[in-house]
Amino acid sequence: MYLLMGVLVALLISAAELWKFTPERTVKRALAVCLKNLFVIPVITGTVQMHVFHYPHYLTTGVGGVGAVLFSLLLALLVGVSLLTVHAVVNRSITFERSDVDTKKGRGLRILGLALAFLGCMCVFMTKWCKREYGDIPIDQLVVTYLSPTTGSDMVDYTAVLEGPVLWSLFFTTIYGLFAFSKAQVKYHYGETVKVILAEKGHRIVSLVLAIAMLVGGLGYGAWRFKFDSLVNAYMNTSTFIDDHYVDPRDANIQFPEKKRNLIHIYLESMENSYMSKDLGGFMDENLIPELTEIAREGYSFSHLPDQFGGPESAIGTTWSVASMVNMSTGLPMKVPTEANSYGSENNFLPGACMMGDLLKEQGYEQTLMFGADSDFGGLTYCFKSHGDFKIMDYKYAVWTGMIPENYLVWWGYEDDKLFEFAKEELTRMSETGKPFNFVMETADTHRPEGYLSPNAPTPYPNQYANVVAYSSAEVNKFVRWIQEQPFYENTTVVITGDHLSMESIFFEYYKFDDNYRRSQYNVILNPYPGVASDSKEILFNREYANFDFFPTILTSIGATYDGHRLGIGTDLFSGAPTIFEEYGFKKANKELEKRSKLYNDKILEDPTPTL
């Protein structure tokens, strides 16, 4: 079908060339023109389609849908018109002659066109860059990240944007500018006939129309790739779905056992079940994370598959690190603020939410967050300080206390090799206080781009990120085995979760991941409170759930009881009760979660406590 589009366009371009640019109309000449275009246009179109836009086939009939065929037709037309224009210029059927007409109005419109063209190019190249670097990043993540502090973020991304999208945009805008600011008028020659087809005014109009087309096209492309309809849904449409299903933990009669159980929650950056071998539910030929696989076998791991390792759905407001921590601590998605509110300012990080830290603080828990980067990024400092008064042991803390030298900087702060050693020291200290403790930590070495490969890591794989993932699995295993050897482990529940799906798109391209394969986050709960869990396949497998379902599940795992099976909009997975996705279906429920929620805006994003 694609080849047919190329042939069709070649015949149309041949007719146009013979009609308007070939005075010598003989059978021999017509045949030569047709043969030339029938060869050149399909070859160029096919090459671009396969090697630039990565279509799998060109010659095979029936491949691709209507959209793909239309794209092939438009691409062939672009190639054909470009070749026809080159032919006309080379044969002087079209000439360019200097025009001395110039006006302030004309210069103003050209400058405006230059700005519009640059913005259009930036929309295209920023979209392509984001999709390549971060994968299928949702628009809600971009908006929430924009509204949150970016302190401690990696400057590599800013440099990459300047060297990538900005530079490419400047390149194409420069080409546009050469045309827009040219003082040439275009003339058409056919025999003795000479016509001005583009004078100064026409040149000005065409330049502006082209610039507007570039902007509209760029915006349209970005809106399509980022699914802006979900953002429109968030701002323009209202749903009572969250309001109808939300259970405020403060009203759920939560009771803790007399002997409080310690909690250790290890968030593993971008850790997926996908890294396992195919027979286990992963996508790899060889299991990259055998140690984590063994740990998952020892505990309780919830899967969407019938008998293999799997995980939660990538629901709205759950697909990045800060969101994941919010989900598993509140039972709520991290939604786009639709009022005059933002995330990550002091005393204003979900002030109306009741979080895990709030509940455990009331029970006398000592709480620590450990993070190898700057926890100000994304507002984590504000989140954990205002909800549980955690001791924040991040990169800044490590420098301030002399744990690392003042000028020390590896990856996002300090590497996971140090993180695990610091965590052992802090856990030992917390276990000796006589109080129950809640220790939360997150790794970072498996973050994009390509991960941080420790000098201690072996490199059995040809892909760096694969080696980083494998080393992380081995090091997490050592840390977990150390925990299990400690006196406090008997009364401690350990939760290990991948925070979100990896954004290391180059890795997935390298190993040729199938788009139809459903990737999922790693998860396991070790040593839950006696009697709360069973090995029933009904509660562990064939589950459709999200990160926010871990909130009530984790509370149950440390022996807490409460009315019903739901907290926030999350469902206790140990209970076997249906989650909102199992009850309503993922697509329907997730679409409702996109929409504006009055309860979320008025009681979660704002502090409902009246001020005096």
Side-chain angles (χ1 to χ4, degrees):
M1 185 61 72
Y2 300 148
L3 182 59
L4 180 60
M5 294 299 100
V7 170
L8 177 62
V9 169
L11 292 174
L12 290 173
I13 294 297
S14 298
E17 183 176 335
L18 290 167
W19 179 35
K20 287 295 186 181
F21 301 106
T22 309
E24 180 191 349
R25 294 178 180 174
T26 63
V27 174
K28 182 178 179 181
R29 180 61 180 163
L31 186 60
V33 168
C34 289
L35 289 175
K36 176 197 70 174
N37 289 323
L38 282 169
F39 176 77
V40 175
I41 292 175
V43 166
I44 294 178
T45 303
T47 301
V48 171
Q49 195 162 318
M50 291 188 66
H51 297 290
V52 175
F53 294 99
H54 307 294
Y55 275 52
H57 300 286
Y58 185 69
L59 298 176
T60 306
T61 302
V63 176
V66 175
V69 173
L70 288 175
F71 175 80
S72 182
L73 177 63
L74 291 173
L75 181 61
L77 279 170
L78 178 62
V79 171
V81 170
S82 299
L83 290 174
L84 185 60
T85 302
V86 171
H87 167 83
V89 171
V90 169
N91 291 278
R92 299 191 62 79
S93 296
I94 292 178
T95 61
F96 301 88
E97 298 180 14
R98 181 179 176 83
S99 171
D100 293 327
V101 178
D102 194 14
T103 63
K104 289 184 179 180
K105 182 179 180 181
R107 287 195 296 273
L109 288 177
R110 288 186 176 97
I111 292 172
L112 174 62
L114 206 62
L116 297 180
F118 178 76
L119 290 175
C121 289
M122 279 295 291
C123 288
V124 172
F125 290 112
M126 275 300 296
T127 298
K128 291 179 72 66
W129 182 83
C130 284
K131 288 296 179 181
R132 176 169 177 78
E133 293 296 316
Y134 295 103
D136 195 22
I137 182 173
I139 188 61
D140 60 314
Q141 177 178 344
L142 287 180
V143 173
V144 174
T145 301
Y146 171 75
L147 294 173
S148 303
T150 57
T151 305
S153 59
D154 193 351
M155 291 302 295
V156 170
D157 280 349
Y158 296 101
T159 303
V161 167
L162 289 173
E163 295 176 346
V166 172
L167 193 59
W168 274 111
S169 297
L170 288 173
F171 172 76
F172 281 99
T173 305
T174 300
I175 294 175
Y176 165 82
L178 292 174
F179 169 76
F181 284 86
S182 168
K183 292 186 177 181
Q185 58 181 343
V186 183
K187 292 184 177 182
Y188 169 66
H189 302 262
Y190 190 81
E192 298 298 323
T193 305
V194 179
K195 292 182 179 180
V196 177
I197 60 173
L198 192 63
E200 193 278 335
K201 183 178 180 180
H203 194 146
R204 191 169 68 228
I205 293 172
V206 169
S207 298
L208 186 59
V209 169
L210 180 60
I212 293 172
M214 292 170 71
L215 177 62
V216 172
L219 289 171
Y221 177 71
W224 170 61
R225 291 301 306 273
F226 280 118
K227 301 177 182 176
F228 265 79
D229 59 314
S230 64
L231 189 62
V232 172
N233 213 15
Y235 279 94
M236 303 301 294
N237 299 317
T238 300
S239 170
T240 62
F241 189 80
I242 289 179
D243 313 45
D244 295 340
H245 295 88
Y246 178 70
V247 175
D248 192 327
R250 288 165 289 222
D251 301 328
N253 190 30
I254 299 176
Q255 301 292 322
F256 286 82
E258 183 177 350
K259 183 179 181 180
K260 308 296 189 299
R261 194 170 187 82
N262 305 316
L263 175 62
I264 298 174
H265 193 158
I266 307 169
Y267 289 91
L268 302 180
E269 172 64 46
S270 305
M271 189 56 68
E272 300 188 16
N273 297 304
S274 315
Y275 308 142
M276 296 182 188
S277 52
K278 290 183 175 67
D279 60 304
L280 298 170
F283 191 80
M284 307 299 294
D285 292 329
E286 179 181 349
N287 189 0
L288 298 181
I289 53 172
E291 300 87 356
L292 284 174
T293 304
E294 186 57 33
I295 290 173
R297 285 196 178 102
E298 295 173 12
Y300 297 86
S301 182
F302 298 94
S303 174
H304 65 286
L305 297 171
D307 56 6
Q308 296 172 308
F309 291 105
E313 283 274 12
S314 294
I316 192 76
T318 68
T319 56
W320 65 102
S321 298
V322 178
S324 178
M325 289 184 165
V326 167
N327 306 150
M328 299 188 202
S329 298
T330 65
L332 286 165
M334 193 168 180
K335 286 177 61 63
V336 175
T338 56
E339 309 295 344
N341 198 316
S342 65
Y343 286 112
S345 56
E346 192 169 3
N347 301 320
N348 198 38
F349 197 105
L350 298 177
C354 179
M355 299 185 71
M356 180 79 73
D358 297 317
L359 297 172
L360 298 189
K361 179 184 177 182
E362 290 179 1
Q363 297 297 317
Y365 276 69
E366 178 154 353
Q367 305 191 92
T368 295
L369 169 70
M370 185 172 285
F371 196 54
D374 188 335
S375 64
D376 287 350
F377 179 70
L380 282 179
T381 299
Y382 302 128
C383 175
F384 282 87
K385 270 294 184 185
S386 58
H387 293 283
D389 195 23
F390 280 70
K391 175 183 179 182
I392 309 293
M393 297 182 69
D394 64 349
Y395 171 71
K396 299 191 307 297
Y397 178 91
V399 172
W400 176 58
T401 57
M403 295 166 65
I404 57 176
E406 187 173 352
N407 60 350
Y408 190 88
L409 182 63
V410 170
W411 197 227
W412 289 69
Y414 62 80
E415 68 277 32
D416 290 348
D417 286 345
K418 283 186 169 54
L419 180 72
F420 290 124
E421 293 306 312
F422 295 156
K424 291 176 184 178
E425 294 173 7
E426 178 64 7
L427 281 169
T428 300
R429 184 199 68 78
M430 296 177 80
S431 69
E432 294 171 351
T433 63
K435 299 179 181 179
F437 63 81
N438 173 27
F439 180 77
V440 180
M441 64 179 288
E442 179 165 24
T443 63
D445 284 3
T446 45
H447 200 286
R448 61 156 297 279
E450 297 187 273
Y452 171 75
L453 186 63
S454 167
N456 302 318
T459 55
Y461 304 106
N463 178 273
Q464 173 167 310
Y465 194 70
N467 289 315
V468 171
V469 166
Y471 182 69
S472 181
S473 173
E475 293 304 296
V476 172
N477 178 66
K478 292 177 185 177
F479 180 58
V480 170
R481 299 313 179 197
W482 176 86
I483 291 172
Q484 292 174 328
E485 293 170 357
Q486 304 311 302
F488 61 76
Y489 180 66
E490 182 182 357
N491 189 44
T492 300
T493 295
V494 179
V495 178
I496 309 173
T497 55
D499 58 352
H500 54 75
L501 296 183
S502 174
M503 300 175 190
E504 181 49 45
S505 57
I506 295 174
F507 169 83
F508 299 105
E509 290 175 8
Y510 182 87
Y511 284 103
K512 296 180 173 58
F513 267 58
D514 186 346
D515 290 340
N516 294 320
Y517 170 75
R518 176 176 154 184
R519 294 157 52 198
S520 62
Q521 296 159 231
Y522 178 88
N523 71 95
V524 65
I525 297 178
L526 298 171
N527 199 29
Y529 190 83
V532 303
S534 75
D535 293 320
S536 168
K537 290 192 69 172
E538 291 183 4
I539 68 164
L540 294 177
F541 296 97
N542 287 315
R543 302 305 303 268
E544 291 296 334
Y545 68 102
N547 282 346
F548 42 72
D549 291 305
F550 279 116
F551 174 53
T553 305
I554 292 171
L555 274 172
T556 296
S557 77
I558 59 173
T561 59
Y562 40 87
D563 296 339
H565 302 296
R566 181 170 290 157
L567 293 174
I569 60 169
T571 301
D572 172 20
L573 296 172
F574 283 124
S575 71
T579 67
I580 59 169
F581 289 153
E582 290 170 334
E583 189 174 349
Y584 296 96
F586 174 71
K587 288 185 177 179
K588 178 180 178 180
N590 203 44
K591 186 57 95 175
E592 292 301 310
L593 291 179
E594 283 181 352
K595 299 176 183 177
R596 176 201 298 256
S597 162
K598 181 173 175 56
L599 180 144
Y600 198 95
N601 287 340
D602 295 348
K603 295 185 178 180
I604 303 300
L605 288 174
E606 299 287 347
D607 190 346
T609 305
T611 56
L612 299 178

